[in-house]
Amino acid sequence: MMRRFVLIGTFCLWPGVALAQQSAGSPPTFRTTVSEVTLDLIVRDAHGRAVKNLQPSEVEVYENGVKQQVRSLRLMAGREASSPGVSSGASAPFLPLHANNLVCLVFHDMNNGTRRFTLEAAREFVAHPLSPNTYVGVFSLDSGMRPLVAFTNNRDKLMEAAKRAFVGRQVDFASSVAVLSAGQGVVSVNSDLPGIGINTLAVAGADVATGPAADTMRGDLAQSRRQFIGIEGARAMDQMNEMIRMLGQLPGRKTVLLLSPGLTTTGDPDKFKTIVDAANRAAISVYAIDTNGMAANSPALAASSLMSAQPGTTMEDMHVDDYRYDAVRTSNPQAPLRALAEGTGGFLAANTNDLRKSFERIVEDVNTHYEVTYHPTDDKFDGRYRRVEVRLARTELTAETRHGYFALPDVGGAAPAPYEAAALTALDSGSKSHAFEFHTAAYQFRSDDAASQYVFAFEVPAFGLTATPLAEQKKQRLHIGLLALVKDADGRVVDKISQDFPFEFADSQIAAVRTDAFRYHRTVELPAGHYSLETAVVDRESNRTATESVEFGAGSTKGLAISNLLLVRSIEALKTRSDKSDPFELEDKLVTPELGATLKTGVRPYVYFVVYPNKANAGEPRLQVEVLGNGSPLKNETSRLPPANGGAVPMIVGGPAQPGTYELRITAIQGSESVERQLTYVIPQAP
């Protein structure tokens, strides 16, 4: 009935599938509690331009509606901000709340004529150094806004995504009016505009006929052109609205590098202003790059010629300004690009093949921001979300910054994982989420008189998770992220457990995987006290989250002690030992706990625990095992405890396997000392 085991251990592979139970090493250590918050702040005026003359007296910071004490405000310009932020409080511990800088490379209406220039421009921009909190995404904007790569700092991925912008058929409405165009990015000017002739600079080598037939043809073309240009302008404005709508949903500061051969509008200034205002409200700054470079038929040359033309003296001369405006609008697609860029705080780089200085200026703008430091009035870092609000004395200015942060102490100094925000948001809601099944448990063991050793066990059944087929590889991917916060009796976070688990299985294995579960455990040491373990698991393939909370803890464990009792799911062979302090690891075995209280019918139950005799007690340690079935006593035996190995005696006790509800009472006895633990399990009737 009793068998002795000696401690040791590592990972366990489930039979038939590559599903591993993982055990962490030493737990992370804490640094001093944060006493200063460093907040990135971007301030812009009504025209989207960066403001660089802000004074400390003009800034107020609020956390959850409570005004904070601002310690300093300083402008971080350009390359000064391209390295990780440091606290202005010298050696004071700090929490950097960097604003997320998102740079969006948007390829607009690309074609083979501008492909080479565009790729070279993208490659040159990506090569420039950006601050660590700046991420670049690549998009294609034609009939819709198509993302080509997620935001990343990986230059190779960015360049590969840029190349994919030209894969497949690109929807380009401008090709429908090619007969009306005299060159790349240029729409020829109609001869029926009074006082303005055909622009031979824009239409290089054009054969301008003057006969009646030619005039009739030009008149027909003019009418068709008006119709097409109205549709093209509406299309281009819809593209800009779609870009702003899509990017406006993203957090942080958005910088759009719009690589475009030109932009046509409908000519309605109110509609165009609506686009610019929407971009400013969404904190989007547009920097436009004319992908035509410096060409002989540059649209700027067409506009220059048009604006310098002298009107005639016909009755139509009173409308010549309107005609000239329309001609420039449709012949020089640079003008709307410039208006969009300058209206949102950016600029247009055009009529040049050398973009180095333009990119340096863009990078300088992206990296420039204010740094505000303040002391939070609430020093309880409980993992909850704190809403941050910045108020400026000048009402015409707008502030862009983090909307808030999760109040966590600095654990191990590691940067937050991508899934942690989703997990913290789920925990912050305060309500349990059961999007899929998972289980947690906290088992108390003994390490020394000053603290208790705990093992946190997590189990996620695979049947509730989403599998993404990888057809070409004949595999399926499952991916979960786990975040657990250990909190003391006051609700303060005292430890954090965070692990990411990506798995890929062959199609032939997925059925077996679905019948099993992902298991993980972590060993920590905590002082005597009451604690809670708040856990969130994120199914990263479906963006679903499930949460669970358990309470645990006890007083000092000096003297004779016994660990929690746990049901054994399996005992697997070990080849190497990964963590000597892990009580689940035996000399050549790994004990895997069963987190549920209901066992499968026909399975023999075993209970694992560790007894810690009192070295100062001369009495002989004994063990009493009492078994009750459905409330009635079944067995009560007392025997001598085997000798301790390193102060601990690991034990496994078998229990009844017939259907019913059972209670095991394990009592360690040494002289006048005794400690009891209990466990209940259920074996259902066979179906």
Side-chain angles (χ1 to χ4, degrees), residues 608-623:
Y608 171 64
F609 57 93
V610 180
V611 179
Y612 304 91
N614 185 0
K615 297 179 181 179
N617 190 329
E620 182 183 50
R622 292 174 297 151
L623 192 69

Side-chain angles (χ1 to χ4, degrees), residues 255-326:
T255 299
V256 172
L257 192 62
L258 185 61
L259 297 137
S260 172
L263 181 64
T264 304
T265 73
T266 61
D268 187 334
D270 292 334
K271 288 185 178 180
F272 189 82
K273 184 176 183 300
T274 299
I275 294 176
V276 174
D277 291 344
N280 285 325
R281 286 194 302 271
I284 296 174
S285 296
V286 178
Y287 293 83
I289 306 297
D290 185 348
T291 55
N292 294 296
M294 191 62 193
N297 58 349
S298 169
L301 299 179
S304 175
S305 175
L306 287 167
M307 295 304 290
S308 61
Q310 297 297 320
T313 58
T314 67
M315 292 276 297
E316 294 281 342
D317 285 351
M318 64 181 68
H319 299 295
V320 74
D321 288 338
D322 296 333
Y323 288 131
R324 185 181 295 130
Y325 174 83
D326 180 70

Side-chain angles (χ1 to χ4, degrees), residues 35-36 38 71-72 74 85-94 371 373 375:
S35 61
E36 182 179 278
T38 304
R71 295 192 63 205
S72 66
R74 62 170 180 158
V86 295
S87 169
S88 59
S91 60
F94 75 104
E371 185 180 88
T373 60
H375 288 296

Side-chain angles (χ1 to χ4, degrees), residues 375-395:
H375 288 296
T377 56
D378 185 358
D379 62 354
K380 180 181 177 180
F381 287 80
D382 55 4
R384 301 302 181 191
Y385 186 77
R386 296 184 181 179
R387 181 173 51 84
V388 174
E389 180 186 3
V390 175
R391 301 177 187 175
L392 303 177
R394 285 184 265 172
T395 57

Side-chain angles (χ1 to χ4, degrees), residues 293-441:
M294 191 62 193
N297 58 349
S298 169
L301 299 179
S304 175
S305 175
L306 287 167
M307 295 304 290
S308 61
Q310 297 297 320
T313 58
T314 67
M315 292 276 297
E316 294 281 342
D317 285 351
M318 64 181 68
H319 299 295
V320 74
D321 288 338
D322 296 333
Y323 288 131
R324 185 181 295 130
Y325 174 83
D326 180 70
V328 172
R329 172 179 62 80
T330 57
S331 294
N332 180 17
Q334 279 185 6
L337 279 179
R338 184 183 303 277
L340 178 62
E342 295 180 353
T344 57
F347 58 81
L348 170 68
N351 308 319
T352 180
N353 293 328
D354 187 357
L355 297 173
R356 287 176 297 177
K357 291 185 178 179
S358 296
F359 286 157
E360 288 175 2
R361 182 178 166 189
I362 293 173
V363 171
E364 180 82 6
D365 289 352
V366 169
N367 289 336
T368 297
H369 63 274
Y370 286 97
E371 185 180 88
V372 182
T373 60
Y374 67 91
H375 288 296
T377 56
D378 185 358
D379 62 354
K380 180 181 177 180
F381 287 80
D382 55 4
R384 301 302 181 191
Y385 186 77
R386 296 184 181 179
R387 181 173 51 84
V388 174
E389 180 186 3
V390 175
R391 301 177 187 175
L392 303 177
R394 285 184 265 172
T395 57
E396 72 275 11
L397 304 182
T398 58
E400 300 162 17
T401 187
R402 289 272 291 271
H403 292 164
Y405 65 98
F406 290 96
L408 289 170
D410 188 4
V411 184
Y419 62 86
E420 288 190 16
L424 288 168
T425 300
L427 292 176
D428 188 60
S429 68
S431 59
K432 290 186 178 180
S433 171
H434 300 283
F436 50 87
E437 183 180 343
F438 87 96
H439 310 284
T440 62

Side-chain angles (χ1 to χ4, degrees), residues 527-546:
H530 187 80
Y531 299 92
S532 64
L533 179 68
E534 298 182 2
T535 306
V537 177
V538 181
D539 182 350
R540 300 191 63 181
E541 296 302 310
S542 62
N543 294 321
R544 296 177 300 149
T545 306

